[in-house]
PDB file of all heavy atoms in Angstrom:
ATOM      1  N   ASN A 183      -3.318   2.166  -9.884  1.00  0.00           N
ATOM      2  CA  ASN A 183      -2.899   1.912 -11.261  1.00  0.00           C
ATOM      3  C   ASN A 183      -2.089   0.627 -11.413  1.00  0.00           C
ATOM      4  O   ASN A 183      -1.464   0.401 -12.455  1.00  0.00           O
ATOM      5  CB  ASN A 183      -2.106   3.112 -11.788  1.00  0.00           C
ATOM      6  CG  ASN A 183      -3.004   4.298 -12.094  1.00  0.00           C
ATOM      7  OD1 ASN A 183      -3.755   4.283 -13.072  1.00  0.00           O
ATOM      8  ND2 ASN A 183      -2.969   5.311 -11.249  1.00  0.00           N
ATOM      9  N   GLY A 184      -2.121  -0.217 -10.392  1.00  0.00           N
ATOM     10  CA  GLY A 184      -1.521  -1.541 -10.514  1.00  0.00           C
ATOM     11  C   GLY A 184      -0.036  -1.606 -10.272  1.00  0.00           C
ATOM     12  O   GLY A 184       0.600  -2.607 -10.611  1.00  0.00           O
ATOM     13  N   PHE A 185       0.555  -0.586  -9.671  1.00  0.00           N
ATOM     14  CA  PHE A 185       1.965  -0.607  -9.286  1.00  0.00           C
ATOM     15  C   PHE A 185       2.033  -0.835  -7.776  1.00  0.00           C
ATOM     16  O   PHE A 185       1.718   0.060  -6.990  1.00  0.00           O
ATOM     17  CB  PHE A 185       2.661   0.705  -9.663  1.00  0.00           C
ATOM     18  CG  PHE A 185       3.081   0.776 -11.111  1.00  0.00           C
ATOM     19  CD1 PHE A 185       2.137   0.946 -12.116  1.00  0.00           C
ATOM     20  CD2 PHE A 185       4.411   0.678 -11.467  1.00  0.00           C
ATOM     21  CE1 PHE A 185       2.512   1.008 -13.450  1.00  0.00           C
ATOM     22  CE2 PHE A 185       4.801   0.738 -12.802  1.00  0.00           C
ATOM     23  CZ  PHE A 185       3.849   0.906 -13.800  1.00  0.00           C
ATOM     24  N   TYR A 186       2.453  -2.024  -7.387  1.00  0.00           N
ATOM     25  CA  TYR A 186       2.422  -2.412  -5.970  1.00  0.00           C
ATOM     26  C   TYR A 186       3.754  -2.193  -5.272  1.00  0.00           C
ATOM     27  O   TYR A 186       3.943  -2.618  -4.132  1.00  0.00           O
ATOM     28  CB  TYR A 186       1.999  -3.881  -5.856  1.00  0.00           C
ATOM     29  CG  TYR A 186       0.560  -4.087  -6.245  1.00  0.00           C
ATOM     30  CD1 TYR A 186       0.207  -4.425  -7.548  1.00  0.00           C
ATOM     31  CD2 TYR A 186      -0.464  -3.905  -5.319  1.00  0.00           C
ATOM     32  CE1 TYR A 186      -1.115  -4.584  -7.919  1.00  0.00           C
ATOM     33  CE2 TYR A 186      -1.795  -4.061  -5.675  1.00  0.00           C
ATOM     34  CZ  TYR A 186      -2.108  -4.405  -6.980  1.00  0.00           C
ATOM     35  OH  TYR A 186      -3.425  -4.557  -7.342  1.00  0.00           O
ATOM     36  N   GLN A 187       4.667  -1.533  -5.946  1.00  0.00           N
ATOM     37  CA  GLN A 187       5.984  -1.240  -5.384  1.00  0.00           C
ATOM     38  C   GLN A 187       6.361   0.173  -5.751  1.00  0.00           C
ATOM     39  O   GLN A 187       5.960   0.687  -6.799  1.00  0.00           O
ATOM     40  CB  GLN A 187       7.012  -2.235  -5.931  1.00  0.00           C
ATOM     41  CG  GLN A 187       8.423  -2.086  -5.374  1.00  0.00           C
ATOM     42  CD  GLN A 187       9.367  -3.150  -5.941  1.00  0.00           C
ATOM     43  OE1 GLN A 187       8.937  -4.081  -6.616  1.00  0.00           O
ATOM     44  NE2 GLN A 187      10.656  -3.035  -5.661  1.00  0.00           N
ATOM     45  N   GLY A 188       7.118   0.840  -4.901  1.00  0.00           N
ATOM     46  CA  GLY A 188       7.615   2.184  -5.187  1.00  0.00           C
ATOM     47  C   GLY A 188       8.917   2.405  -4.443  1.00  0.00           C
ATOM     48  O   GLY A 188       9.412   1.522  -3.751  1.00  0.00           O
ATOM     49  N   TRP A 189       9.447   3.609  -4.581  1.00  0.00           N
ATOM     50  CA  TRP A 189      10.702   3.939  -3.897  1.00  0.00           C
ATOM     51  C   TRP A 189      10.415   4.775  -2.658  1.00  0.00           C
ATOM     52  O   TRP A 189       9.513   5.620  -2.661  1.00  0.00           O
ATOM     53  CB  TRP A 189      11.604   4.769  -4.791  1.00  0.00           C
ATOM     54  CG  TRP A 189      12.071   4.123  -6.037  1.00  0.00           C
ATOM     55  CD1 TRP A 189      11.816   2.857  -6.477  1.00  0.00           C
ATOM     56  CD2 TRP A 189      12.885   4.735  -7.036  1.00  0.00           C
ATOM     57  NE1 TRP A 189      12.417   2.636  -7.683  1.00  0.00           N
ATOM     58  CE2 TRP A 189      13.085   3.777  -8.048  1.00  0.00           C
ATOM     59  CE3 TRP A 189      13.466   5.991  -7.167  1.00  0.00           C
ATOM     60  CZ2 TRP A 189      13.847   4.046  -9.183  1.00  0.00           C
ATOM     61  CZ3 TRP A 189      14.225   6.261  -8.295  1.00  0.00           C
ATOM     62  CH2 TRP A 189      14.415   5.296  -9.285  1.00  0.00           C
ATOM     63  N   ASP A 190      11.218   4.564  -1.640  1.00  0.00           N
ATOM     64  CA  ASP A 190      11.227   5.445  -0.469  1.00  0.00           C
ATOM     65  C   ASP A 190      12.651   5.931  -0.257  1.00  0.00           C
ATOM     66  O   ASP A 190      13.614   5.172  -0.409  1.00  0.00           O
ATOM     67  CB  ASP A 190      10.718   4.713   0.773  1.00  0.00           C
ATOM     68  CG  ASP A 190       9.226   4.412   0.700  1.00  0.00           C
ATOM     69  OD1 ASP A 190       8.489   5.273   0.174  1.00  0.00           O
ATOM     70  OD2 ASP A 190       8.808   3.334   1.146  1.00  0.00           O
ATOM     71  N   LEU A 191      12.777   7.206   0.104  1.00  0.00           N
ATOM     72  CA  LEU A 191      14.085   7.842   0.187  1.00  0.00           C
ATOM     73  C   LEU A 191      14.441   8.295   1.598  1.00  0.00           C
ATOM     74  O   LEU A 191      15.588   8.703   1.830  1.00  0.00           O
ATOM     75  CB  LEU A 191      14.135   9.050  -0.753  1.00  0.00           C
ATOM     76  CG  LEU A 191      13.794   8.778  -2.223  1.00  0.00           C
ATOM     77  CD1 LEU A 191      13.814  10.081  -3.021  1.00  0.00           C
ATOM     78  CD2 LEU A 191      14.750   7.765  -2.837  1.00  0.00           C
ATOM     79  N   HIS A 192      13.493   8.245   2.522  1.00  0.00           N
ATOM     80  CA  HIS A 192      13.725   8.752   3.886  1.00  0.00           C
ATOM     81  C   HIS A 192      12.969   7.862   4.861  1.00  0.00           C
ATOM     82  O   HIS A 192      11.839   7.434   4.565  1.00  0.00           O
ATOM     83  CB  HIS A 192      13.230  10.203   3.982  1.00  0.00           C
ATOM     84  CG  HIS A 192      13.655  10.908   5.226  1.00  0.00           C
ATOM     85  ND1 HIS A 192      13.002  10.733   6.433  1.00  0.00           N
ATOM     86  CD2 HIS A 192      14.677  11.784   5.462  1.00  0.00           C
ATOM     87  CE1 HIS A 192      13.595  11.479   7.355  1.00  0.00           C
ATOM     88  NE2 HIS A 192      14.616  12.123   6.785  1.00  0.00           N
ATOM     89  N   PRO A 193      13.548   7.569   6.023  1.00  0.00           N
ATOM     90  CA  PRO A 193      12.853   6.675   6.970  1.00  0.00           C
ATOM     91  C   PRO A 193      11.509   7.197   7.439  1.00  0.00           C
ATOM     92  O   PRO A 193      10.616   6.403   7.765  1.00  0.00           O
ATOM     93  CB  PRO A 193      13.849   6.543   8.137  1.00  0.00           C
ATOM     94  CG  PRO A 193      14.824   7.658   7.965  1.00  0.00           C
ATOM     95  CD  PRO A 193      14.896   7.925   6.502  1.00  0.00           C
ATOM     96  N   ALA A 194      11.315   8.517   7.457  1.00  0.00           N
ATOM     97  CA  ALA A 194      10.021   9.062   7.873  1.00  0.00           C
ATOM     98  C   ALA A 194       8.945   8.843   6.823  1.00  0.00           C
ATOM     99  O   ALA A 194       7.764   9.124   7.082  1.00  0.00           O
ATOM    100  CB  ALA A 194      10.144  10.548   8.205  1.00  0.00           C
ATOM    101  N   GLN A 195       9.307   8.333   5.641  1.00  0.00           N
ATOM    102  CA  GLN A 195       8.304   7.949   4.647  1.00  0.00           C
ATOM    103  C   GLN A 195       7.770   6.543   4.888  1.00  0.00           C
ATOM    104  O   GLN A 195       6.739   6.170   4.312  1.00  0.00           O
ATOM    105  CB  GLN A 195       8.897   8.025   3.229  1.00  0.00           C
ATOM    106  CG  GLN A 195       9.163   9.442   2.740  1.00  0.00           C
ATOM    107  CD  GLN A 195       9.708   9.464   1.326  1.00  0.00           C
ATOM    108  OE1 GLN A 195      10.568   8.654   0.965  1.00  0.00           O
ATOM    109  NE2 GLN A 195       9.234  10.395   0.515  1.00  0.00           N
ATOM    110  N   LEU A 196       8.432   5.771   5.721  1.00  0.00           N
ATOM    111  CA  LEU A 196       7.991   4.397   5.944  1.00  0.00           C
ATOM    112  C   LEU A 196       6.621   4.322   6.615  1.00  0.00           C
ATOM    113  O   LEU A 196       5.796   3.482   6.231  1.00  0.00           O
ATOM    114  CB  LEU A 196       9.043   3.628   6.749  1.00  0.00           C
ATOM    115  CG  LEU A 196      10.426   3.528   6.087  1.00  0.00           C
ATOM    116  CD1 LEU A 196      11.393   2.754   6.978  1.00  0.00           C
ATOM    117  CD2 LEU A 196      10.330   2.864   4.722  1.00  0.00           C
ATOM    118  N   PRO A 197       6.305   5.164   7.618  1.00  0.00           N
ATOM    119  CA  PRO A 197       4.947   5.108   8.182  1.00  0.00           C
ATOM    120  C   PRO A 197       3.863   5.348   7.139  1.00  0.00           C
ATOM    121  O   PRO A 197       2.813   4.681   7.149  1.00  0.00           O
ATOM    122  CB  PRO A 197       4.958   6.208   9.251  1.00  0.00           C
ATOM    123  CG  PRO A 197       6.387   6.336   9.645  1.00  0.00           C
ATOM    124  CD  PRO A 197       7.162   6.096   8.380  1.00  0.00           C
ATOM    125  N   THR A 198       4.092   6.301   6.223  1.00  0.00           N
ATOM    126  CA  THR A 198       3.048   6.582   5.238  1.00  0.00           C
ATOM    127  C   THR A 198       3.028   5.549   4.124  1.00  0.00           C
ATOM    128  O   THR A 198       1.970   5.305   3.523  1.00  0.00           O
ATOM    129  CB  THR A 198       3.200   7.994   4.653  1.00  0.00           C
ATOM    130  OG1 THR A 198       4.595   8.286   4.445  1.00  0.00           O
ATOM    131  CG2 THR A 198       2.624   9.024   5.593  1.00  0.00           C
ATOM    132  N   ARG A 199       4.171   4.955   3.792  1.00  0.00           N
ATOM    133  CA  ARG A 199       4.164   3.845   2.841  1.00  0.00           C
ATOM    134  C   ARG A 199       3.213   2.758   3.323  1.00  0.00           C
ATOM    135  O   ARG A 199       2.318   2.306   2.605  1.00  0.00           O
ATOM    136  CB  ARG A 199       5.581   3.270   2.694  1.00  0.00           C
ATOM    137  CG  ARG A 199       5.671   1.916   1.962  1.00  0.00           C
ATOM    138  CD  ARG A 199       5.309   1.973   0.505  1.00  0.00           C
ATOM    139  NE  ARG A 199       6.156   2.898  -0.219  1.00  0.00           N
ATOM    140  CZ  ARG A 199       6.016   3.203  -1.508  1.00  0.00           C
ATOM    141  NH1 ARG A 199       5.049   2.641  -2.209  1.00  0.00           N
ATOM    142  NH2 ARG A 199       6.798   4.083  -2.099  1.00  0.00           N
ATOM    143  N   TYR A 200       3.399   2.338   4.576  1.00  0.00           N
ATOM    144  CA  TYR A 200       2.561   1.256   5.101  1.00  0.00           C
ATOM    145  C   TYR A 200       1.160   1.735   5.449  1.00  0.00           C
ATOM    146  O   TYR A 200       0.188   0.993   5.288  1.00  0.00           O
ATOM    147  CB  TYR A 200       3.250   0.612   6.309  1.00  0.00           C
ATOM    148  CG  TYR A 200       4.534  -0.069   5.934  1.00  0.00           C
ATOM    149  CD1 TYR A 200       5.758   0.359   6.431  1.00  0.00           C
ATOM    150  CD2 TYR A 200       4.545  -1.132   5.029  1.00  0.00           C
ATOM    151  CE1 TYR A 200       6.946  -0.253   6.065  1.00  0.00           C
ATOM    152  CE2 TYR A 200       5.730  -1.744   4.646  1.00  0.00           C
ATOM    153  CZ  TYR A 200       6.932  -1.303   5.174  1.00  0.00           C
ATOM    154  OH  TYR A 200       8.106  -1.908   4.792  1.00  0.00           O
ATOM    155  N   GLY A 201       1.036   2.980   5.895  1.00  0.00           N
ATOM    156  CA  GLY A 201      -0.298   3.498   6.205  1.00  0.00           C
ATOM    157  C   GLY A 201      -1.190   3.523   4.977  1.00  0.00           C
ATOM    158  O   GLY A 201      -2.340   3.075   5.004  1.00  0.00           O
ATOM    159  N   ALA A 202      -0.681   4.040   3.867  1.00  0.00           N
ATOM    160  CA  ALA A 202      -1.464   4.093   2.621  1.00  0.00           C
ATOM    161  C   ALA A 202      -1.708   2.690   2.072  1.00  0.00           C
ATOM    162  O   ALA A 202      -2.801   2.371   1.601  1.00  0.00           O
ATOM    163  CB  ALA A 202      -0.729   4.942   1.588  1.00  0.00           C
ATOM    164  N   LEU A 203      -0.679   1.847   2.137  1.00  0.00           N
ATOM    165  CA  LEU A 203      -0.784   0.480   1.628  1.00  0.00           C
ATOM    166  C   LEU A 203      -1.813  -0.323   2.409  1.00  0.00           C
ATOM    167  O   LEU A 203      -2.688  -0.995   1.837  1.00  0.00           O
ATOM    168  CB  LEU A 203       0.589  -0.191   1.726  1.00  0.00           C
ATOM    169  CG  LEU A 203       0.734  -1.606   1.187  1.00  0.00           C
ATOM    170  CD1 LEU A 203       0.632  -1.608  -0.334  1.00  0.00           C
ATOM    171  CD2 LEU A 203       2.083  -2.192   1.621  1.00  0.00           C
ATOM    172  N   TYR A 204      -1.758  -0.245   3.726  1.00  0.00           N
ATOM    173  CA  TYR A 204      -2.675  -1.030   4.558  1.00  0.00           C
ATOM    174  C   TYR A 204      -4.108  -0.548   4.400  1.00  0.00           C
ATOM    175  O   TYR A 204      -5.048  -1.348   4.388  1.00  0.00           O
ATOM    176  CB  TYR A 204      -2.244  -0.953   6.022  1.00  0.00           C
ATOM    177  CG  TYR A 204      -0.947  -1.684   6.339  1.00  0.00           C
ATOM    178  CD1 TYR A 204      -0.144  -2.222   5.325  1.00  0.00           C
ATOM    179  CD2 TYR A 204      -0.506  -1.823   7.643  1.00  0.00           C
ATOM    180  CE1 TYR A 204       1.031  -2.883   5.616  1.00  0.00           C
ATOM    181  CE2 TYR A 204       0.674  -2.500   7.941  1.00  0.00           C
ATOM    182  CZ  TYR A 204       1.445  -3.015   6.922  1.00  0.00           C
ATOM    183  OH  TYR A 204       2.616  -3.674   7.210  1.00  0.00           O
ATOM    184  N   THR A 205      -4.281   0.767   4.274  1.00  0.00           N
ATOM    185  CA  THR A 205      -5.622   1.303   4.052  1.00  0.00           C
ATOM    186  C   THR A 205      -6.197   0.782   2.740  1.00  0.00           C
ATOM    187  O   THR A 205      -7.363   0.386   2.656  1.00  0.00           O
ATOM    188  CB  THR A 205      -5.580   2.841   4.033  1.00  0.00           C
ATOM    189  OG1 THR A 205      -5.066   3.313   5.285  1.00  0.00           O
ATOM    190  CG2 THR A 205      -6.970   3.418   3.812  1.00  0.00           C
ATOM    191  N   PHE A 206      -5.373   0.753   1.702  1.00  0.00           N
ATOM    192  CA  PHE A 206      -5.793   0.257   0.392  1.00  0.00           C
ATOM    193  C   PHE A 206      -6.285  -1.188   0.500  1.00  0.00           C
ATOM    194  O   PHE A 206      -7.354  -1.537  -0.027  1.00  0.00           O
ATOM    195  CB  PHE A 206      -4.617   0.356  -0.586  1.00  0.00           C
ATOM    196  CG  PHE A 206      -4.871  -0.239  -1.945  1.00  0.00           C
ATOM    197  CD1 PHE A 206      -5.525   0.488  -2.928  1.00  0.00           C
ATOM    198  CD2 PHE A 206      -4.435  -1.525  -2.247  1.00  0.00           C
ATOM    199  CE1 PHE A 206      -5.753  -0.050  -4.187  1.00  0.00           C
ATOM    200  CE2 PHE A 206      -4.661  -2.074  -3.503  1.00  0.00           C
ATOM    201  CZ  PHE A 206      -5.314  -1.337  -4.471  1.00  0.00           C
ATOM    202  N   PHE A 207      -5.531  -2.049   1.155  1.00  0.00           N
ATOM    203  CA  PHE A 207      -5.916  -3.453   1.261  1.00  0.00           C
ATOM    204  C   PHE A 207      -7.142  -3.636   2.158  1.00  0.00           C
ATOM    205  O   PHE A 207      -8.037  -4.426   1.832  1.00  0.00           O
ATOM    206  CB  PHE A 207      -4.750  -4.287   1.793  1.00  0.00           C
ATOM    207  CG  PHE A 207      -3.771  -4.684   0.727  1.00  0.00           C
ATOM    208  CD1 PHE A 207      -2.556  -4.027   0.598  1.00  0.00           C
ATOM    209  CD2 PHE A 207      -4.065  -5.696  -0.169  1.00  0.00           C
ATOM    210  CE1 PHE A 207      -1.649  -4.376  -0.393  1.00  0.00           C
ATOM    211  CE2 PHE A 207      -3.176  -6.066  -1.167  1.00  0.00           C
ATOM    212  CZ  PHE A 207      -1.965  -5.404  -1.277  1.00  0.00           C
ATOM    213  N   LEU A 208      -7.204  -2.916   3.250  1.00  0.00           N
ATOM    214  CA  LEU A 208      -8.349  -3.078   4.158  1.00  0.00           C
ATOM    215  C   LEU A 208      -9.629  -2.538   3.530  1.00  0.00           C
ATOM    216  O   LEU A 208     -10.713  -3.092   3.746  1.00  0.00           O
ATOM    217  CB  LEU A 208      -8.055  -2.404   5.501  1.00  0.00           C
ATOM    218  CG  LEU A 208      -7.029  -3.155   6.367  1.00  0.00           C
ATOM    219  CD1 LEU A 208      -6.564  -2.286   7.529  1.00  0.00           C
ATOM    220  CD2 LEU A 208      -7.616  -4.464   6.889  1.00  0.00           C
ATOM    221  N   GLU A 209      -9.534  -1.465   2.754  1.00  0.00           N
ATOM    222  CA  GLU A 209     -10.720  -0.947   2.070  1.00  0.00           C
ATOM    223  C   GLU A 209     -11.229  -1.941   1.018  1.00  0.00           C
ATOM    224  O   GLU A 209     -12.423  -2.023   0.763  1.00  0.00           O
ATOM    225  CB  GLU A 209     -10.402   0.391   1.403  1.00  0.00           C
ATOM    226  CG  GLU A 209     -10.276   1.557   2.371  1.00  0.00           C
ATOM    227  CD  GLU A 209      -9.902   2.855   1.693  1.00  0.00           C
ATOM    228  OE1 GLU A 209      -9.455   2.820   0.524  1.00  0.00           O
ATOM    229  OE2 GLU A 209     -10.044   3.924   2.321  1.00  0.00           O
ATOM    230  N   GLY A 210     -10.329  -2.690   0.422  1.00  0.00           N
ATOM    231  CA  GLY A 210     -10.723  -3.650  -0.606  1.00  0.00           C
ATOM    232  C   GLY A 210     -11.001  -5.043  -0.078  1.00  0.00           C
ATOM    233  O   GLY A 210     -11.362  -5.941  -0.858  1.00  0.00           O
ATOM    234  N   LEU A 211     -10.851  -5.237   1.233  1.00  0.00           N
ATOM    235  CA  LEU A 211     -10.933  -6.582   1.804  1.00  0.00           C
ATOM    236  C   LEU A 211     -12.300  -7.222   1.619  1.00  0.00           C
ATOM    237  O   LEU A 211     -12.394  -8.382   1.188  1.00  0.00           O
ATOM    238  CB  LEU A 211     -10.572  -6.530   3.289  1.00  0.00           C
ATOM    239  CG  LEU A 211     -10.671  -7.847   4.066  1.00  0.00           C
ATOM    240  CD1 LEU A 211      -9.743  -8.906   3.473  1.00  0.00           C
ATOM    241  CD2 LEU A 211     -10.345  -7.622   5.544  1.00  0.00           C
ATOM    242  N   ALA A 212     -13.375  -6.516   1.925  1.00  0.00           N
ATOM    243  CA  ALA A 212     -14.713  -7.111   1.871  1.00  0.00           C
ATOM    244  C   ALA A 212     -15.047  -7.594   0.461  1.00  0.00           C
ATOM    245  O   ALA A 212     -15.510  -8.724   0.257  1.00  0.00           O
ATOM    246  CB  ALA A 212     -15.755  -6.115   2.363  1.00  0.00           C
ATOM    247  N   GLY A 213     -14.802  -6.748  -0.525  1.00  0.00           N
ATOM    248  CA  GLY A 213     -15.118  -7.127  -1.906  1.00  0.00           C
ATOM    249  C   GLY A 213     -14.271  -8.284  -2.398  1.00  0.00           C
ATOM    250  O   GLY A 213     -14.782  -9.207  -3.050  1.00  0.00           O
ATOM    251  N   ALA A 214     -12.969  -8.256  -2.081  1.00  0.00           N
ATOM    252  CA  ALA A 214     -12.085  -9.332  -2.523  1.00  0.00           C
ATOM    253  C   ALA A 214     -12.432 -10.643  -1.833  1.00  0.00           C
ATOM    254  O   ALA A 214     -12.362 -11.714  -2.442  1.00  0.00           O
ATOM    255  CB  ALA A 214     -10.632  -8.948  -2.247  1.00  0.00           C
ATOM    256  N   THR A 215     -12.834 -10.569  -0.554  1.00  0.00           N
ATOM    257  CA  THR A 215     -13.210 -11.777   0.178  1.00  0.00           C
ATOM    258  C   THR A 215     -14.426 -12.440  -0.458  1.00  0.00           C
ATOM    259  O   THR A 215     -14.443 -13.656  -0.688  1.00  0.00           O
ATOM    260  CB  THR A 215     -13.511 -11.436   1.651  1.00  0.00           C
ATOM    261  OG1 THR A 215     -12.335 -10.902   2.261  1.00  0.00           O
ATOM    262  CG2 THR A 215     -13.962 -12.675   2.422  1.00  0.00           C
ATOM    263  N   GLU A 216     -15.435 -11.643  -0.773  1.00  0.00           N
ATOM    264  CA  GLU A 216     -16.644 -12.196  -1.375  1.00  0.00           C
ATOM    265  C   GLU A 216     -16.351 -12.806  -2.739  1.00  0.00           C
ATOM    266  O   GLU A 216     -16.819 -13.915  -3.052  1.00  0.00           O
ATOM    267  CB  GLU A 216     -17.706 -11.110  -1.504  1.00  0.00           C
ATOM    268  CG  GLU A 216     -19.025 -11.618  -2.083  1.00  0.00           C
ATOM    269  CD  GLU A 216     -20.085 -10.537  -2.176  1.00  0.00           C
ATOM    270  OE1 GLU A 216     -19.779  -9.364  -1.854  1.00  0.00           O
ATOM    271  OE2 GLU A 216     -21.213 -10.857  -2.585  1.00  0.00           O
ATOM    272  N   ARG A 217     -15.561 -12.124  -3.544  1.00  0.00           N
ATOM    273  CA  ARG A 217     -15.256 -12.626  -4.893  1.00  0.00           C
ATOM    274  C   ARG A 217     -14.480 -13.940  -4.837  1.00  0.00           C
ATOM    275  O   ARG A 217     -14.803 -14.893  -5.545  1.00  0.00           O
ATOM    276  CB  ARG A 217     -14.452 -11.589  -5.675  1.00  0.00           C
ATOM    277  CG  ARG A 217     -15.261 -10.390  -6.150  1.00  0.00           C
ATOM    278  CD  ARG A 217     -14.451  -9.572  -7.136  1.00  0.00           C
ATOM    279  NE  ARG A 217     -14.208 -10.314  -8.371  1.00  0.00           N
ATOM    280  CZ  ARG A 217     -13.214 -10.048  -9.216  1.00  0.00           C
ATOM    281  NH1 ARG A 217     -12.370  -9.072  -8.956  1.00  0.00           N
ATOM    282  NH2 ARG A 217     -13.062 -10.755 -10.320  1.00  0.00           N
TER     283      ARG A 217
END
């Protein structure tokens, strides 16, 4: 939904913050590269 920032409240949320974020960018990489 176009919100590229959020809040994290616990250090154990940091792996999933980056895990979800990196998956999002890598899944979109091929299409964005071509465009």
